[in-house]
Amino acid sequence: MSLLQLNEIAAFYGPSQALFDVTLEVGEGEVVALMGRNGMGKSTTVKVICRMLAHAQGEVHFAGQNIGALPSHKAARLGIGLVPEGRRCFANLTVYENLIAAARKGAWDFGAVCELFPRLEERREQSSASLSGGEQQMLAIGRALMTNPRLLILDEATEGLAPVIRQEIWAAIAKLKAETGMAIIAIDKSLRELGQVADRAVILEKGRTVWSGAFEALGPEETDRYLGV
C-alpha cells in the first residue's frame, strides 16, 4: 500500500524552475533511496514533500490525503519526520530539550531514542553545541523519531562523518527497517551502504525522475550514467 505518492511534480524558486517532472512512490514500511548527483533536485523534492516549498504542478498524496495545500507543521503532524541536511540542532538547548521540543505521543519517547543511540543518554544535560558532529546527527535523527513519524526522511544523514560513526548510523537505520515497519526515504552518496537497507531507488536528473526500480536492479550502466562524476 502506498504511503507517499508524488505525481509529475514541478516546483520553482522564484522564477527559476528546480523540478520539472518528479514522480516517486513510497510504500508502507519501504525504504527508498532518493539518488542523483548534486544539484539534481533531491533536497528540493524533500522540501515539497515536507511542504516547505509549494509545487506548481502535480500532486502530493500522503496517507491517502492530498497534502498540497497543507502548511509544513500540519504535514509533520500527519506523520512526516525530517532529518535535515546539516542537522540543525538547537545549539542553546540540551540534548534532552532538543528531543522533547517537537515530541508527540507514541512508541518513540526519550527512552526508546536512547536505546537506539545510547550516547544521547550519556549527553542528556549537555548543550547540543558541545556535541561532536556524529552525536549531533544522532540527536537530529532522535528528534525526528520523537515526532513518531510514519515516514522518516534522511537527507544526507552520514555526510562528513567519521567511518565508525557512519557505521553506527547505518546500523540504526537497518534496525528501524527491521523492527519498526517505518517507511524511510534516504538520500546518501554511498551505494554500498544504501544497498544494505534500500528496497527501491529513484534517481533524479535535472529535476526529473529518470530511473526507478528495485535497488538490486540498479546496474553499472545506470550508476555511471546518472551517478558517476
Side-chain angles (χ1 to χ4, degrees):
M1 179 180 177
S2 294
L3 178 63
L4 174 73
Q5 287 182 309
L6 270 65
N7 299 314
E8 300 178 345
I9 296 296
F12 291 76
Y13 292 107
S16 301
Q17 188 165 0
L19 302 181
F20 294 82
D21 183 7
V22 172
T23 295
L24 68 84
E25 182 175 342
V26 181
E28 296 274 7
E30 186 176 41
V31 179
V32 174
L34 182 58
M35 307 174 73
R37 298 183 184 94
N38 290 340
M40 293 299 171
K42 302 184 299 296
S43 291
T44 301
T45 299
V46 167
K47 289 180 181 179
V48 169
I49 295 169
C50 295
R51 308 315 305 148
M52 294 185 290
L53 178 67
H55 58 284
Q57 174 185 304
E59 293 185 343
V60 181
H61 291 263
F62 181 76
Q65 179 179 342
N66 188 329
I67 64 171
L70 292 184
S72 58
H73 68 278
K74 290 189 176 181
R77 288 175 187 168
L78 286 178
I80 300 175
L82 173 63
V83 181
E85 185 177 12
R87 299 182 281 275
R88 303 182 193 176
C89 299
F90 300 114
N92 60 331
L93 298 183
T94 66
V95 166
Y96 180 72
E97 289 168 341
N98 265 274
L99 289 173
I100 66 170
R104 300 179 67 210
K105 290 184 179 180
W108 285 100
D109 57 15
F110 182 72
V113 168
C114 290
E115 186 176 341
L116 186 67
F117 296 121
R119 289 192 207 192
L120 298 182
E121 173 63 40
E122 299 169 8
R123 308 287 193 268
R124 174 180 176 141
E125 299 303 325
Q126 290 184 221
S127 70
S128 70
S130 70
L131 303 180
S132 69
E135 290 166 344
Q136 287 182 5
Q137 189 63 70
M138 295 174 192
L139 180 57
I141 295 172
R143 183 179 58 192
L145 290 173
M146 290 277 281
T147 68
N148 280 279
R150 296 179 64 181
L151 171 66
L152 182 66
I153 303 174
L154 301 159
D155 193 353
E156 301 283 6
T158 66
E159 185 176 27
L161 300 181
V164 65
I165 301 298
R166 287 175 59 89
Q167 291 174 9
E168 194 168 344
I169 298 292
W170 283 111
I173 295 169
K175 185 174 182 179
L176 290 174
K177 177 183 179 179
E179 298 182 6
T180 70
M182 185 184 299
I184 298 172
I185 294 175
I187 299 174
D188 203 273
K189 296 179 176 65
S190 174
L191 282 172
R192 182 180 64 84
E193 291 168 315
L194 280 172
Q196 294 173 2
V197 297
D199 301 300
R200 290 192 305 108
V202 175
I203 300 178
L204 304 184
E205 185 175 57
K206 297 179 180 177
R208 293 180 169 86
T209 299
V210 293
W211 191 92
S212 64
F215 197 93
E216 59 266 24
L218 186 60
E221 181 179 346
E222 292 79 17
T223 57
D224 288 346
R225 180 175 180 182
Y226 299 121
L227 305 174
V229 177

